[in-house]
Amino acid sequence: MALRHEPTASYHSVQDALRVLESVARHTTGVTDTELARETGLGSERLTALLRMLRREAYVEQIADGAYVTGAAFARLGAAEGHEEALREKLQRTLDRLRDSVGAAVYMSRYVDGEVKVTQYADSPAAPKVNEWVDFRCSAHATAVGKSLLTQLDHDGRRDHLARHRMARLTSRTITSDTLLLSRLASQPPTVPVLDLQEYAVGTVCAAVPITAGSSVGCLALSLPVEHAHRLREAADTLNRGAAPVLLSLAI
């Protein structure tokens, strides 16, 4: 299965953040922002924003003299022992924060062994998760999650998936033509969130953004009751901006 790699803004942010982290890690006794700017080649405004994000995520911390050193989250994720548990806990905290910032249930999904899999989610009484009335593995054609994952595959990978999963009509808005769906997937810009406007379930709208890391295909998604559909695009943009910390956790 080949992937369709088109770097997003989050991807570029993560590449810059990793450069900053690598520089901080080389200086075990601390490094100033002036030294970081010189070593990374990043502008002051860009570096300040990245350091703010890295501090919030506990990847770096400031010591008494204002210099930066690696933080607790970096140490936990960088350790071989307990890495998977540390990663899951870190991602869950990030998803919880995203849920609160977008005011919607948030999901992390991966394309694993040719199937759609929701690996983690964050919901609450005020932001309930979608009712999985049809298995997400069988409904990629109708969900924002599924369509976002499929856009990250090449044409043959998409055709293979659709050949294994019949495109059932779940609502009156569901696309059931593979020709139409494949055309829309091919024309989907990687920087624009994929939407599901009551295609999977009546009464629910969703949006998803890609989080491709290396050879792994993934996405972040959110769901809202249809009465909050007017918030969908703004919430999706907020989710898109919040994707960098998730990608960074996966990259460390």
Side-chain angles (χ1 to χ4, degrees), residues 210-228:
I211 50 167
T212 305
S215 60
S216 175
V217 171
C219 73
L220 277 177
L222 64 86
S223 64
L224 286 167
V226 71
E227 55 266 28
H228 293 287

Side-chain angles (χ1 to χ4, degrees), residues 177-209:
S177 161
D178 58 351
T179 302
L180 177 57
L181 181 65
L182 287 168
S183 173
R184 292 195 178 178
L185 292 175
S187 62
Q188 174 71 30
T191 55
V192 177
V194 178
L195 303 182
D196 156 20
L197 304 177
Q198 300 189 86
E199 296 168 56
Y200 173 75
V202 174
T204 301
V205 294
C206 305
V209 297

Side-chain angles (χ1 to χ4, degrees), residues 55 87 91 159 184 187:
R55 287 181 64 191
L87 176 60
L91 288 172
R159 290 202 68 89
R184 292 195 178 178
S187 62

Side-chain angles (χ1 to χ4, degrees), residues 30 40 53 56 65 94 110 115 158 171 205 215 232-233:
T40 62
M53 185 265 282
R56 186 184 69 232
D65 62 359
T94 303
R110 308 291 284 275
E115 300 293 351
R158 296 170 196 156
T171 77
V205 294
S215 60
L232 183 62
R233 290 187 185 277

Side-chain angles (χ1 to χ4, degrees), residues 123-147:
D123 66 346
S124 71
K129 65 183 178 71
V130 68
N131 173 35
E132 189 180 351
W133 76 284
V134 175
D135 194 321
F136 290 143
R137 290 174 299 178
C138 305
S139 53
H141 65 292
T143 64
V145 161
K147 288 185 288 183

Side-chain angles (χ1 to χ4, degrees), residues 19-178:
R19 284 161 61 193
V20 175
L21 261 179
E22 287 167 2
S23 185
V24 173
R26 283 196 300 270
H27 296 267
T28 54
T29 58
V31 58
T32 66
D33 50 5
T34 302
E35 291 171 312
L36 286 172
R38 184 172 62 250
E39 291 185 9
T40 62
L42 295 169
S44 175
E45 187 175 342
R46 177 70 167 159
L47 179 60
T48 298
L50 289 169
L51 285 170
R52 187 184 305 119
M53 185 265 282
L54 290 170
R55 287 181 64 191
R56 186 184 69 232
E57 299 293 326
Y59 291 125
V60 302
E61 59 184 54
Q62 272 186 296
I63 53 180
D65 62 359
Y68 292 91
V69 295
T70 54
F74 181 78
R76 286 202 69 199
L77 287 180
E81 186 175 348
H83 173 78
E84 288 304 315
E85 181 183 355
L87 176 60
R88 187 171 183 83
E89 291 176 358
K90 186 75 179 72
L91 288 172
Q92 190 61 52
R93 286 194 295 272
T94 303
L95 292 179
D96 289 345
R97 189 167 60 247
L98 280 172
R99 173 202 61 207
D100 295 339
S101 66
V102 301
V106 174
Y107 314 78
M108 181 173 172
S109 303
R110 308 291 284 275
Y111 196 71
V112 181
D113 297 329
E115 300 293 351
V116 172
K117 183 177 181 182
V118 175
T119 54
Q120 288 178 250
Y121 66 89
D123 66 346
S124 71
K129 65 183 178 71
V130 68
N131 173 35
E132 189 180 351
W133 76 284
V134 175
D135 194 321
F136 290 143
R137 290 174 299 178
C138 305
S139 53
H141 65 292
T143 64
V145 161
K147 288 185 288 183
S148 180
L149 295 174
L150 292 177
T151 62
Q152 298 172 64
L153 309 182
D154 64 5
H155 181 75
D156 289 342
R158 296 170 196 156
R159 290 202 68 89
D160 171 71
H161 184 92
L162 297 179
R164 291 183 287 108
H165 296 286
R166 185 175 66 86
M167 295 173 61
R169 185 176 298 282
L170 305 183
T171 77
S172 63
R173 294 172 177 261
T174 307
I175 296 174
T176 56
S177 161
D178 58 351

